Amino acid sequence: MNFRGAFLLIVIVLLGANWSRATNYYIANNGNDTALGTSPVTPWKSLNKKYSVLLSAGDSLLLKGGDVFSGFIYLSPEEYGIAGKPIFIGSYDGGRATILSGLQPAIFLYNTAGISIANLNLTGSGDSTNSASGIYAYVDTPGNVTLHQLQIDSIDVSGFGNAGVEIQSYPKDQSRSGFQQVRLTHVVAHDNGKVGIMVWGNFKNTDSGYNHQNVYIGQCAAYNNRGKGAGISGSGIELSQTDSATIEYCSAYNNGTTGSGGVGIWAWDANRITIQHCESRHNHTTTSDGDGFDLDGGTTNSVMQYNYSHDNDGTGFLLWQFDGARPFRTNVVRYNISENDSRKHNGYYGMVAMGSGDSAVNTGLHDILIYNNTLFKTRIPGNDRFQGPAISADGDIIQNVNIFNNIFSLDGSSRFLYKWHKADLHFLANLYSSTVGFWVTEPSGDYISLGQWAAATGQEMDSGRLGALIGNPLLAAPGAAGTIGNPNNLSLLSNSYGPKSGSPVIDAGLDLFRRFGILVGTSDCVGGRVPIGAGFDIGAIEYQMPNAIVVAAATAGCKLFPNPAKAWITLEVPSSTSSTLMSIRDIAGRLQRSGHFVGQTRVGVEDLPAGWYFVQLQWADAAETLRFYKE
């Protein structure tokens, strides 16, 4: 045997393993730039020392929690992570480190990916002096190159002139290079110049592709991004040139105070976008927009659902096609609530608004579904004439818009509909409530009764019969929802917009799947099951019978009491039942309690927040699901 060769082989293998080993680099205020920097006891002192190394897959750049550092971090195209071995930038030793970047971005990623950034505070010099973005991930690589994986979590970013977080693609050859698998969670972007969080690319209306794919933005907040400079500015979260994205459990508020055309949360030139479980409120504008939510020009196959919009200058939910955009079609607005939106554009801008230009380069809006929303508005003191309508439509190229099962509740002199042009809208099975009477404006004139409007236009007619309701929807406390604050608690909206016993909306809605093949999902705005009872309700929240037991299987005999509950619930199962597995989940599916019992058990719930909960019971080959309300 050649022992010398074997020895050399072992040495080579060991060296190879050492070369591929990930390295942690540490930086602390009490460090020294002449130190090794590879352990917490020998940290570097300054961010500039990072440039003495090129980070490799699996490496980490760690800043001591609680310390404050001046400068910025730049990653070049030669520094990239791979699947399972990202480059990590974050804090160590507990707490968060802070980067004061002055006039620069705090972290600049250039033509690189496989990056994870977490647990940092990033602060610029202020939006009046800084013109950069806090985290700036930029791709200009030609040739339709896809860069995989970018994760940003638990970041506070403020004081930047452009965006808090900006992910941009602008390839030199105008191709569709960009990012895939982008995930932003627990990002708080506030007090920046133009926008809080922005994902975008190169806009081309003649192309069918998109720069970015598979983007997730969850549990983020964007506020006090005031807007500055020319063009659209003052948004909370903005996404474009993206195929397949979800924005959920986010909040956007008080954006656009000095901006123009901004929106709390919106998407444009995008495909397969879901915006859900978000609260967008008190957003502003100096000119147009200032909306809560928006699917804008060139958006397709997308949905806004289970959201709460309130007290915005502009509309609650906007559908808009601008001149020169790619086609806009097959979008859905469902199970949302708007409270006191359209506060600035009085008289013409609806709580749900649609619009398209009328030029030869505008392809218009097509194939839109608007159903099971609740729109509520109180009067504006001192302005008794023009309060802003429930629905507005501006443009001739608005085709096949179906508006079903909605509640339009207006307190004060306001229209239910303001339509400028011959938009193709179809109303059916909606409820209209107003303290001053019915009012709809069509191109042909004003209509002051539901019957008059229906007879003249065919709206709300179903097989020769009037298919709408008019009168008080008997909601719990409309107008009193105010600010929820945490989007995880949107179930509290049932305290204001849940139907009361005897409400005319209960079981009065259309079964949209049976009538039109529309898949409506299984839950309402607050996570309640739909339908309950004999049919679907009108509005965003399905009536929940206070003492209802919802049985999910054929087995009977289980009991839950008291319901509603304050401090405890008692569960009983049939006496013949063996050990039963019990779990209690909130309406978002998060586990709150679990355990086993036989026959009967008492479970404490005093610490649970108010709202609806599901109790799942399983034994042998059977199961039941019960529901109770925690006061």
Side-chain angles (χ1 to χ4, degrees):
M1 182 175 180
N2 187 343
F3 292 99
R4 182 179 181 185
F7 175 76
L8 289 175
L9 178 61
I10 293 171
V11 171
I12 290 171
V13 169
L14 291 175
L15 286 174
N18 186 58
W19 291 337
S20 64
R21 186 182 303 155
T23 303
N24 293 338
Y25 298 97
Y26 297 86
I27 306 178
N29 288 164
N30 64 352
N32 190 316
D33 283 347
T34 63
L36 290 176
T38 54
S39 79
V41 297
T42 60
W44 295 330
K45 183 178 181 62
S46 70
L47 296 182
N48 285 336
K49 184 61 179 178
K50 180 266 169 196
Y51 302 112
S52 65
V53 299
L54 285 177
L55 298 180
S56 301
D59 287 354
S60 295
L61 183 65
L62 303 172
L63 283 59
K64 187 173 183 179
D67 283 2
V68 179
F69 303 89
S70 296
F72 71 100
I73 296 170
Y74 170 76
L75 264 61
S76 69
E78 292 76 27
E79 299 173 285
Y80 57 89
I82 58 176
K85 298 180 67 176
I87 291 175
F88 177 75
I89 302 172
S91 301
Y92 76 97
D93 202 29
R96 289 187 187 180
T98 298
I99 297 177
L100 303 179
S101 64
L103 303 179
Q104 306 296 324
I107 299 176
F108 180 16
L109 311 176
Y110 178 55
N111 285 335
T112 186
I115 310 298
S116 179
I117 304 170
N119 297 316
L120 293 169
N121 297 324
L122 311 176
T123 306
S125 60
D127 65 57
S128 61
T129 56
N130 184 292
S131 60
S133 295
I135 296 178
Y136 184 34
Y138 179 63
V139 177
D140 65 2
T141 304
N144 294 310
V145 172
T146 298
L147 302 182
H148 293 271
Q149 193 179 354
L150 176 59
Q151 297 183 349
I152 301 172
D153 179 65
S154 299
I155 298 294
D156 185 286
V157 55
S158 64
F160 294 90
N162 196 42
V165 176
E166 180 181 8
I167 299 171
Q168 181 189 8
S169 175
Y170 206 85
K172 300 171 182 177
D173 61 351
Q174 297 292 297
S175 67
R176 288 301 184 184
S177 295
F179 290 100
Q180 188 176 77
Q181 298 172 315
V182 175
R183 187 174 180 86
L184 279 69
T185 51
H186 304 101
V187 173
V188 179
H190 62 98
D191 297 284
N192 299 291
K194 290 189 175 181
V195 60
I197 297 171
M198 180 165 60
V199 179
W200 66 301
N202 56 312
F203 169 63
K204 294 194 298 180
N205 61 10
T206 59
D207 198 344
S208 59
Y210 300 89
N211 292 104
H212 310 296
Q213 294 85 37
N214 302 324
V215 175
Y216 179 84
I217 302 173
Q219 304 285 354
C220 295
Y223 61 90
N224 294 349
N225 302 291
R226 65 181 180 89
K228 57 179 283 189
I232 295 173
S233 69
S235 292
I237 300 173
E238 176 183 346
L239 184 149
S240 62
Q241 287 83 54
T242 297
D243 182 22
S244 186
T246 297
I247 303 172
E248 64 179 3
Y249 298 105
C250 293
S251 60
Y253 57 94
N254 201 41
N255 300 292
T257 53
T258 59
S260 174
V263 179
I265 300 174
W266 65 304
W268 62 279
D269 195 48
N271 182 50
R272 297 188 296 169
I273 308 303
T274 298
I275 303 173
Q276 62 184 8
H277 306 299
C278 295
E279 180 179 15
S280 186
R281 61 179 176 88
H282 298 101
N283 293 295
H284 305 287
T285 180
T286 59
T287 53
S288 61
D289 290 296
D291 312 307
F293 299 88
D294 176 19
L295 298 179
D296 216 286
T299 299
T300 53
N301 305 306
S302 297
V303 59
M304 297 186 285
Q305 62 184 6
Y306 317 134
N307 299 298
Y308 177 37
S309 176
H310 63 99
D311 299 290
N312 294 290
D313 284 0
T315 185
F317 300 90
L318 179 65
L319 301 163
W320 195 268
Q321 177 73 333
F322 59 81
D323 290 348
R326 289 195 270 188
F328 184 108
R329 63 176 66 252
T330 324
N331 296 311
V332 178
V333 182
R334 67 179 185 181
Y335 288 107
N336 303 287
I337 292 174
S338 169
E339 178 180 281
N340 292 327
D341 283 316
S342 188
R343 284 313 212 186
K344 185 168 185 174
H345 308 292
N346 297 330
Y348 63 91
Y349 211 33
M351 288 182 281
V352 172
M354 294 164 277
S356 71
D358 298 310
S359 73
V361 294
N362 196 301
T363 58
L365 308 181
H366 301 271
D367 306 324
I368 308 301
L369 289 172
I370 301 171
Y371 63 85
N372 282 100
N373 302 283
T374 296
L375 312 182
F376 177 85
K377 192 172 191 180
T378 56
R379 66 181 295 272
I380 303 173
N383 187 345
D384 291 326
R385 178 61 178 166
F386 297 111
Q387 300 287 318
I391 300 283
S392 63
D394 179 14
D396 284 331
I397 319 173
I398 299 178
Q399 299 294 322
N400 193 29
V401 177
N402 295 287
I403 304 170
F404 304 137
N405 291 355
N406 301 284
I407 294 175
F408 307 133
S409 183
L410 307 175
D411 177 16
S413 295
S414 184
R415 302 170 175 90
F416 291 114
L417 170 66
Y418 195 173
K419 187 169 75 171
W420 284 267
H421 304 284
K422 296 178 181 179
D424 179 28
L425 312 182
H426 307 280
F427 288 81
L428 187 60
N430 301 287
L431 181 141
Y432 302 83
S433 174
S434 174
T435 57
V436 295
F438 190 89
W439 184 15
V440 161
T441 297
E442 295 264 10
S444 55
D446 289 343
Y447 298 92
I448 57 173
S449 76
L450 176 60
Q452 180 192 32
W453 179 49
T457 64
Q459 300 288 8
E460 296 289 3
M461 296 300 294
D462 189 13
S463 300
R465 300 174 57 185
L466 189 62
L469 300 177
I470 192 163
N472 190 336
L474 294 179
L475 303 179
T483 297
I484 300 298
N486 183 347
N488 295 291
N489 295 330
L490 290 184
S491 60
L492 296 175
L493 290 168
S494 60
N495 297 329
S496 298
Y497 290 99
K500 294 190 289 188
S501 178
S503 168
V505 306
I506 298 172
D507 298 337
L510 294 174
D511 185 330
L512 299 180
F513 180 73
R514 288 186 177 182
R515 288 291 300 272
F516 308 111
I518 298 170
L519 297 173
V520 301
T522 59
S523 63
D524 63 11
C525 182
V526 296
R529 186 172 66 90
V530 294
I532 289 178
F536 289 85
D537 293 356
I538 295 173
I541 299 178
E542 189 89 358
Y543 175 63
Q544 309 291 324
M545 293 174 285
N547 297 302
I549 293 179
V550 182
V551 180
T555 308
C558 294
K559 295 180 181 179
L560 182 159
F561 59 88
N563 190 2
K566 291 185 178 179
W568 51 267
I569 58 171
T570 294
L571 299 170
E572 289 185 1
V573 297
S575 58
S576 61
T577 301
S578 60
S579 179
T580 299
L581 173 63
M582 175 273 299
S583 63
I584 300 177
R585 297 180 182 272
D586 62 19
I587 62 173
R590 294 180 289 257
L591 183 66
Q592 305 294 322
R593 301 281 190 278
S594 65
H596 288 81
F597 70 96
V598 176
Q600 184 186 86
T601 189
R602 182 167 170 168
V603 182
V605 296
E606 187 172 12
D607 61 315
L608 297 179
W612 287 100
Y613 292 85
F614 295 96
V615 180
Q616 296 174 316
L617 304 175
Q618 293 179 305
W619 66 95
D621 296 324
E624 281 200 14
T625 300
L626 314 180
R627 183 198 306 265
F628 74 93
Y629 187 80
K630 167 63 169 56
E631 292 183 330

